[in-house]
Amino acid sequence: MICVRRVVLAPMTRVRSYKNVPQSHAILYYSQRSTIGGLLISEATGVSDTAQGYPNTPGIWTKEQVEAWKPIVDAVHAKGGIFFCQIWHAGRVSNEGLQPNGKAPISCTDKPVRPQLGSNGTYSAQFSIPRRLNTDEIPLVVNDFRLAARNAMEAGMFNFIMR
C-alpha cells in the first residue's frame, strides 16, 4: 500500500473572499488539503486596506477578518496540519479601484507596472500610477505588518510569512 501525504501546500491566490473577508467555503478548501504535520501556507492575505492588489482577496487587518479565519485554521488543525499566514502588501501592483477612496496605490516608487499581456493576447490587468510613500509613512506600513502578524496569531496560525 502506498501512502501519499501532502508535505507543503504552496500559497495560491484564490480570489474568493467577499469584501476581503475569508468565506466559509475556505474551510473545506484548506481542510481538504490538510494532512498530519503538513504545512499549509495561506493565500496572499492583505495587511491593510491599502495592501490589496487583486479583487476578492482576504485580509487580516480587522476583527471580522480574524474571526473569519478562526474556523478555517481550526479545520486545518483538526486534521493535524500546520497553518502559516502569508501576509503581504501588493504595493504598486494594484489600481485605484481596489484602494480606499479610489486613491493611488502606495509604493516605494511612482513608476507604474507595465500592463501584463495575458495568454489570450489581451492585457489581463490594469495598474494605476502609484504614489511614492514619504519617509515618515514607512513606519505606518511596518505597523500594518506588525498588526497583521499579531492578528494571524490571534486567529490561531502558528506563524506568518512576509513576502
Side-chain angles (χ1 to χ4, degrees):
M1 181 171 141
I2 297 174
C3 180
V4 179
R5 288 190 193 256
R6 182 179 313 273
V7 177
V8 177
L9 173 72
M12 181 167 72
T13 304
R14 299 177 61 244
V15 191
R16 294 185 177 176
S17 294
Y18 180 69
K19 293 187 176 182
N20 307 116
V21 177
Q23 301 298 296
S24 60
H25 54 73
I27 296 169
L28 180 62
Y29 174 83
Y30 284 108
S31 68
Q32 284 179 330
R33 289 152 179 83
S34 299
T35 60
I36 296 171
L39 170 64
L40 275 69
I41 303 172
S42 77
E43 59 203 284
T45 303
V47 298
S48 69
D49 57 352
T50 66
Q52 301 309 108
Y54 302 92
N56 303 315
T57 55
I60 196 151
W61 69 88
T62 70
K63 186 70 173 166
E64 180 184 13
Q65 293 163 337
V66 172
E67 293 304 314
W69 274 112
K70 285 180 179 181
I72 300 165
V73 175
D74 289 345
V76 169
H77 291 168
K79 287 198 162 180
I82 302 165
F83 205 174
F84 278 33
C85 184
Q86 177 192 190
I87 57 176
W88 80 320
H89 193 296
R92 69 183 185 150
V93 183
S94 187
N95 66 60
E96 293 166 350
L98 296 171
Q99 296 299 307
N101 303 315
K103 292 185 177 180
I106 58 173
S107 181
C108 62
T109 180
D110 56 7
K111 295 177 184 169
V113 177
R114 292 183 184 151
Q116 304 297 307
L117 192 60
S119 60
N120 64 357
T122 63
Y123 289 104
S124 60
Q126 296 297 318
F127 305 105
S128 301
I129 296 172
R131 179 181 67 81
R132 184 186 312 220
L133 280 176
N134 295 318
T135 304
D136 62 337
E137 293 176 291
I138 294 170
L140 301 173
V141 177
V142 171
N143 192 55
D144 289 340
F145 274 90
R146 184 184 65 79
L147 292 173
R150 186 172 285 165
N151 287 343
M153 289 183 274
E154 182 183 331
M157 298 177 191
F158 287 122
N159 213 326
F160 59 93
I161 295 176
M162 287 193 278
R163 234 174 143 183

